[in-house]
Amino acid sequence: MMDWTDRHCRVFHRLMTRRARLYTEMLTSGAIIHGDRARLLGFDASEHPVALQLGGSDPRDLATAAKIGEDFGYDEINLNVGCPSDRVKDGRFGACLMAEPALVAEGVHAMKRAVRIPVTVKCRLGIDDQDPEVALDALARSVVAAGTDALIVHARKAWLNGLSPKENRDIPPLDYDRVYRLKAAMPDLPVIINGGIADLAAAKAHLAHVDGVMLGRAAYHDPWRLLAADPELFGEPAPYNAMKDVFEAMVPYIEDQLAQGTRLHSMTRHFVGTFFGVPGARAFRRHLAENGVRPGAGVDVLRDAVALVDGRAVASIAA
């Protein structure tokens, strides 16, 4: 979710669910140590609970970055050992580390010593020619011994040689049963499943086998689904009953960000999937795209865009 789940996206998603845990886009340990920390790590207090996702392989740097994240107020540190991007392969972090479980464990151990908040790991079933039965167990055993608090498993292999990052999101077949077997073999390890989960009905089905479910692109492309997360998964009322109310609740944040110099499009770009398939959705997207980038664009652009959507859709909760 690099370049997607920035702070503006997370504030928007938090308005639709009080309970789901939000994750940042992956940030490298080097960027956090040497970069503009306020810009990279700053987040709104409303986002809690929110986890900082790190990329890196040097245990000392990971520990330093994790402590910086804890000091910024994050609720969890997550080490990404699953991203198949070319950038992460070249930098020796992400999915290529599936081949080095001992090094991943060193990083987890270093972070656990540096922070008091939970440290978790996100991985794949394996990479390239690895046997998922062997590779996933090896990674899991290593990070459990190092003290990880949970393992998030994207239920696909990553092919670093032969497939593009985009193809790695769809072409390798999903194997949810492999994740279920891991949980059965390691009942004391909290296991969260990820990959190809399109809706909350599917999420609920997975929860019969594992401890949690992570939604990525489904939550981003169809954010309205999150309005049903609290009622369906946590037995609690949704924060709002209508997407119109969600957007109105977003207005104070948008106005505050505009006053700080943030462009409207930097925020509204995360809204384009809100009414997918609903009459007026295309007009909604077009209005945001054409007017949100204009100098001085304000919240009226968002309100005008919402007004273009079928009123019954705007007023309805996620189905």
Side-chain angles (χ1 to χ4, degrees):
M1 306 296 286
M2 294 170 69
D3 300 323
W4 288 19
T5 51
D6 62 17
R7 61 186 302 176
H8 311 309
C9 173
R10 298 193 305 267
V11 168
F12 176 49
H13 285 184
R14 175 57 70 216
L15 288 173
M16 289 175 276
T17 169
R18 298 184 182 94
R19 295 294 305 276
R21 178 157 298 213
L22 303 176
Y23 286 74
T24 69
E25 56 191 322
M26 185 176 66
L27 300 171
T28 67
S29 56
I32 291 172
I33 294 169
H34 304 292
D36 184 343
R37 296 175 187 174
R39 179 181 63 82
L40 293 169
L41 296 175
F43 67 94
D44 191 83
S46 67
E47 295 176 40
H48 289 295
V50 58
L52 170 62
Q53 188 173 97
L54 295 180
S57 58
D58 181 274
R60 181 177 298 178
D61 286 351
L62 286 172
T64 300
K67 185 64 172 69
I68 293 169
E70 181 183 51
D71 290 345
F72 262 80
Y74 284 93
D75 302 295
E76 173 189 328
I77 303 297
N78 176 254
L79 177 61
N80 188 308
V81 190
C83 181
S85 163
D86 294 335
R87 283 183 283 174
V88 302
K89 182 180 178 182
D90 293 341
R92 201 189 179 197
F93 54 95
C96 64
L97 290 176
M98 290 292 299
E100 300 185 76
L103 180 59
V104 176
E106 287 182 40
V108 171
H109 179 68
M111 290 188 289
K112 287 291 293 183
R113 294 185 63 184
V115 302
R116 291 167 296 189
I117 57 177
V119 173
T120 62
V121 175
K122 185 174 188 289
C123 69
R124 291 269 183 146
L125 300 182
I127 57 171
D128 298 328
D129 293 323
Q130 285 185 326
D131 180 349
E133 298 298 329
V134 176
L136 183 59
D137 276 353
L139 190 284
R141 285 195 300 268
S142 294
V143 298
V144 166
T148 190
D149 293 284
L151 186 64
I152 303 166
V153 185
H154 185 148
R156 284 188 176 95
K157 288 180 70 174
W159 288 90
L160 304 182
N161 297 303
L163 293 181
S164 70
K166 182 178 185 301
E167 290 170 331
N168 263 303
R169 295 196 293 266
D170 302 306
I171 292 179
L174 287 159
D175 187 354
Y176 297 131
D177 286 340
R178 177 66 187 95
V179 186
Y180 299 165
R181 291 197 298 276
L182 175 71
K183 176 59 187 178
M186 306 183 75
D188 294 332
L189 171 66
V191 174
I192 295 89
I193 199 166
N194 172 236
I197 302 167
D199 53 43
L200 295 180
K204 291 178 74 173
H206 285 300
L207 289 173
H209 305 278
V210 293
D211 304 289
V213 177
M214 175 180 278
L215 297 181
R217 283 164 178 78
Y220 189 89
H221 290 307
D222 299 312
W224 54 268
R225 295 185 186 278
L226 295 176
L227 270 177
D230 290 0
E232 290 292 323
L233 301 181
F234 299 99
E236 299 178 4
Y240 298 96
N241 291 326
M243 285 306 305
K244 179 180 179 180
D245 297 331
V246 171
F247 283 122
E248 277 301 314
M250 190 77 186
V251 166
Y253 175 83
I254 293 174
E255 290 178 331
D256 179 67
Q257 288 294 311
L258 290 172
Q260 296 180 46
T262 303
R263 297 181 64 190
L264 182 69
H265 178 68
S266 297
M267 295 172 276
T268 58
R269 71 186 182 94
H270 301 299
F271 304 163
V272 295
T274 303
F275 300 112
F276 182 77
V278 170
R282 183 175 298 178
F284 170 81
R285 294 193 298 270
R286 183 186 304 117
H287 190 82
L288 289 181
E290 293 177 352
N291 297 283
V293 296
R294 293 179 178 176
V299 293
D300 57 307
V301 171
L302 175 60
R303 287 184 169 127
D304 290 344
V306 172
L308 296 170
V309 183
D310 186 299
R312 289 168 297 178
V314 175
S316 65
I317 193 170

